[in-house]
């Protein structure tokens, strides 16, 4: 059976050190993944680009890094204690567990006509039961109800509860936003599809506080900006689309919501959302904390609780999208070449330096070049195996440039630069390499 793209990517991720299963030597832990040397760089590059475009390049957004553990009342106010639940269905026969909205479920779970999609038995599915997705733990030494705290299931609440602190300390005026990157945890019922749905993941969220009435305009603005950001990341536009939430999908407090979907090998799925959350969150925190969170508009002297337009992206899902979109296979000199065509700015390694052979002064020159370049770029030195094999390893890592020091380099201080996608080779003066790479890596 031909392997599908997901299987190929999972195996490449392990082989090259992008992503490993958590606690693998103990048999792994369900739907938790670790980023290896290349994956850590890739995900960091994506997060840095997000931070740059959301925080550094804008005057009206401030950054925040709130704690994972929060006062338990936060989650009552946010609605998570009462409502962050998924209905789940169990098969009594094979013990598999499904979300009640799993499209593979046919018939009515709990009724004799329903068939288990895994073992195929009829009448073995339980009626849906509600299951809260928050991880609970205890603060302090005593494991009692009063000490329960939650691992945050989203980063947004850290922003809401700090809204006044940021507003006052940064001297921002509405409209303005707060951006944050951080871990979130959800005890998902049916995790899977590699890093698509995991129990521990990272979010990149931005909450933009606006005057009620201006929310529609800002919602359109952020929809447009976020799609543009993904295009700039190099994701193929034809693989991206918006999906507007219908009445049945929309959270009760939300006025409008769009998912940005990517065409994954397992179908079109969300990896970022833009939501108009109205004044729900700040009003609830005002109510539960007893602290005023309204805003006095200095221009009009009006008081109002701001509306929030949120952009909520998963760093792991975006990283998965970047890898799937970059994955290519082609025939080269009668062999299969696997190449990750990352945009250079995203690539974990920017260039690899190779001595053609390990003699005649080539390693010394190549090492010197490598030491020069590493001060500015994440570069890699490789002198193991044939030059073809070394190129192929870097293709799989998505390294945009291969720099080879050969016999001619010793004579005239030039090197060969091989371009990953076009396979074009050109000779460049070693002294010019720094600028040559900087120019090509900027995008
Ligand atoms: P889904 O319907 O897929 O569970 P959601 O609508 O609950 O997602 P949000 O609460 O809007 O997702 O979270 C925003 C983003 O956080 C998602 O678009 C996704 O990128 C990321 N995310 C949410 N849950 C997970 C998860 N279990 N694993 C990885 N990323 C996640």
């Amino acid at each position: 059976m031909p392997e599908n793209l997901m299987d190929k990517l999972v195996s490449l991720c392990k082989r090259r050190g992008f992503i490993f299963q958590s606690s693998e030597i103990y048999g792994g832990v369900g739907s938790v993944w670790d980023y290896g040397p290349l994956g850590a760089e890739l995900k960091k590059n994506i997060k840095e680009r997000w931070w740059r475009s959301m925080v550094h390049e804008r005057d009206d957004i401030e950054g925040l890094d709130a704690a994972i553990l929060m006062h338990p009342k936060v989650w009552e106010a946010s609605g998570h204690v009462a409502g962050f639940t998924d209905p789940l269905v169990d098969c009594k026969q094979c013990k598999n567990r499904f979300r009640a909205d799993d499209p593979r479920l046919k018939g009515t779970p709990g009724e004799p006509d329903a068939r288990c999609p895994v073992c195929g038995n009829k009448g073995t599915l339980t009626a849906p039961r509600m299951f809260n997705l928050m991880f609970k733990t205890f603060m302090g030494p005593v494991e009692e109800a009063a000490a329960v705290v939650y691992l945050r299931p989203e980063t947004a609440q850290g922003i809401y509860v700090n809204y006044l602190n940021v507003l006052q300390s940064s001297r921002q005026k509405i409209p303005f936003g707060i951006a944050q990157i951080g871990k979130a945890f959800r005890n998902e019922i049916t995790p899977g599809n590699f890093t698509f749905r995991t129990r521990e993941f990272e979010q990149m969220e931005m909450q933009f506080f606006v005057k009620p009435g201006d929310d529609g305009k800002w919602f359109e603005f952020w929809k447009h900006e976020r799609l543009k950001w993904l295009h700039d990341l190099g994701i193929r536009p034809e693989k991206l689309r918006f999906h507007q939430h219908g009445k049945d999908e929309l959270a009760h407090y939300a006025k409008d919501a769009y998912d940005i979907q990517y065409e994954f090998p397992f179908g079109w799925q969300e990896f970022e959302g833009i939501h108009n959350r109205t004044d729900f969150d700040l009003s609830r925190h005002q109510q539960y904390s007893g602290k005023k969170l309204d805003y006095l508009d200095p221009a009009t002297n009006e008081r109002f609780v701001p509306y929030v337009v949120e952009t909520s992206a998963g760093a792991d899902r975006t990283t998965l999208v970047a890898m799937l979109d970059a994955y290519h296979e082609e025939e080269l000199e009668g062999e299969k070449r696997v190449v990750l065509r990352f945009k250079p700015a995203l690539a974990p390694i920017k260039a690899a330096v190779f001595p053609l052979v390990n003699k005649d002064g080539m390693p010394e020159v190549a090492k010197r070049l490598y030491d020069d370049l590493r001060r500015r770029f994440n570069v890699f030195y490789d002198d193991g195996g044939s030059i073809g094999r070394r190129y192929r390893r870097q293709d799989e890592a998505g390294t945009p440039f291969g720099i080879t020091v050969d016999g001619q380099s010793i004579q005239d201080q030039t090197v060969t630069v091989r371009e990953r996608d076009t396979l074009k080779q050109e000779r460049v003066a070693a002294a010019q390499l720094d600028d040559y790479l900087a120019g090509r890596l900027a995008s």
Side-chain angles (χ1 to χ4, degrees):
M1 210 172 79
E3 270 187 303
N4 72 31
L5 176 55
M6 270 325 266
D7 293 337
K8 288 180 188 174
L9 188 74
V10 173
S11 108
L12 180 137
C13 280
K14 172 153 183 181
R15 189 166 71 243
R16 286 287 162 250
F18 280 94
I19 298 174
F20 310 121
Q21 196 181 10
S22 164
S23 320
E24 194 183 354
I25 58 168
Y26 288 98
V29 59
S31 282
V32 187
W33 299 89
D34 298 337
Y35 288 79
L38 295 184
E41 291 289 336
L42 175 63
K43 189 167 153 191
K44 179 173 68 68
N45 291 343
I46 288 173
K47 289 189 289 183
E48 277 179 4
R49 263 180 100 86
W50 186 88
W51 191 264
R52 179 149 44 87
S53 79
M54 292 305 239
V55 182
H56 292 175
E57 290 176 2
R58 296 194 62 95
D59 293 330
D60 54 0
I61 300 186
E62 304 288 338
L64 180 75
D65 184 3
I68 288 170
L69 299 176
M70 302 182 74
H71 195 290
K73 269 198 136 176
V74 167
W75 306 109
E76 287 175 34
S78 70
H80 283 83
V81 171
F84 193 52
T85 49
D86 269 353
L88 88 93
V89 168
D90 285 305
C91 174
K92 288 183 276 191
Q93 187 66 36
C94 68
K95 311 284 180 224
N96 272 293
R97 182 162 273 189
F98 311 93
R99 276 161 69 128
D101 61 1
D102 191 321
R104 295 172 305 164
L105 292 180
K106 303 280 181 270
T108 314
E111 301 292 328
D113 69 310
R115 189 186 286 281
C116 171
V118 174
C119 69
N121 280 301
K122 256 187 162 182
T124 56
L125 295 177
T126 62
R129 285 174 299 164
M130 296 312 263
F131 175 79
N132 195 295
L133 301 184
M134 282 198 293
F135 279 97
K136 269 186 198 167
T137 186
F138 300 95
M139 189 95 123
V142 189
E143 296 195 5
E144 59 183 18
V148 165
V149 289
Y150 301 96
L151 301 186
R152 66 179 176 198
E154 62 175 29
T155 54
Q157 299 303 324
I159 290 182
Y160 297 129
V161 301
N162 278 296
Y163 149 79
L164 264 192
N165 286 336
V166 176
L167 180 72
Q168 287 162 357
S169 58
S170 64
R171 301 170 61 235
Q172 285 283 358
K173 289 193 179 62
I174 273 174
F176 86 105
I178 305 177
Q180 156 159 252
I181 299 177
K183 291 267 187 172
F185 303 82
R186 295 184 188 176
N187 201 359
E188 299 276 4
I189 302 168
T190 51
N193 283 325
F194 197 29
T195 54
F196 178 79
R197 188 181 302 287
T198 55
R199 295 195 165 105
E200 172 176 344
F201 54 96
E202 232 173 332
Q203 290 187 312
M204 308 186 287
E205 291 198 301
M206 193 280 298
Q207 266 64 38
F208 205 72
F209 300 89
V210 304
K211 187 174 174 175
D214 288 349
D215 47 310
K217 181 181 81 186
W218 283 107
F219 188 75
E220 285 310 311
F221 175 84
W222 282 112
K223 260 177 68 189
H224 177 263
E225 282 294 294
R226 294 307 303 148
L227 190 64
K228 187 162 144 290
W229 187 80
L230 290 165
H231 290 163
D232 289 348
L233 210 61
I235 311 300
R236 287 168 290 175
E238 66 273 21
K239 291 277 193 177
L240 294 169
R241 72 176 190 195
F242 279 120
H243 163 76
Q244 186 176 18
H245 283 204
K247 285 219 158 47
D248 52 328
E249 294 167 276
L250 211 53
H252 63 92
Y253 51 82
K255 195 163 144 189
D256 203 357
Y258 278 74
D259 293 339
I260 303 180
Q261 297 184 329
Y262 179 77
E263 192 178 17
F264 289 90
F266 43 89
W268 287 95
Q269 294 283 345
E270 161 191 356
F271 68 111
E272 171 155 358
I274 295 106
H275 312 128
N276 181 343
R277 300 179 63 122
T278 68
D279 58 0
F280 173 79
D281 303 274
L282 288 183
S283 299
R284 294 274 290 198
H285 284 304
Q286 190 164 258
Q287 184 191 338
Y288 278 71
S289 69
K291 298 277 179 332
K292 280 235 150 296
L293 295 176
D294 58 357
Y295 177 77
L296 175 66
D297 190 332
T300 62
N301 257 342
E302 265 180 287
R303 275 195 180 276
F304 56 84
V305 176
Y307 268 36
V308 169
V309 173
E310 131 183 297
T311 71
S312 174
D316 308 87
R317 277 193 201 170
T318 309
T319 303
L320 180 60
V321 164
M323 285 191 293
L324 284 166
D325 209 61
Y327 188 98
H328 282 83
E329 282 179 8
E330 58 197 31
E331 278 277 309
L332 185 66
E333 293 153 10
E335 272 182 48
K336 185 171 90 174
R337 175 170 98 118
V338 174
V339 53
L340 292 182
R341 296 192 197 275
F342 293 126
K343 192 166 187 163
L346 284 195
I349 299 170
K350 305 304 181 192
V353 181
F354 313 120
L356 182 62
V357 288
N358 278 314
K359 56 181 187 187
D360 303 334
M362 292 178 215
E364 291 75 8
V365 173
K367 258 269 144 76
R368 232 178 300 132
L369 198 56
Y370 166 68
D371 281 335
D372 271 355
L373 292 174
R374 73 193 299 185
R375 283 183 292 172
R376 203 159 160 203
F377 312 106
N378 188 29
V379 288
F380 186 77
Y381 183 83
D382 190 2
D383 60 5
S386 75
I387 193 75
R389 293 222 0 230
R390 282 181 270 169
Y391 279 149
R392 230 37 68 74
R393 279 202 289 266
Q394 293 306 317
D395 288 342
E396 283 197 335
T399 307
F401 301 102
I403 299 165
T404 305
V405 170
D406 56 16
Q408 191 182 328
S409 310
I410 312 295
Q411 311 303 320
D412 66 4
Q413 285 77 49
T414 64
V415 294
T416 308
V417 180
R418 171 201 187 252
E419 215 267 326
R420 175 196 69 199
D421 297 339
T422 61
L423 299 172
K424 269 207 329 240
Q425 304 210 5
E426 59 177 323
R427 285 207 84 84
V428 177
Q432 300 293 317
L433 258 184
D434 219 67
D435 291 343
Y436 175 95
L437 286 182
R440 281 161 184 78
L441 290 170
S443 64

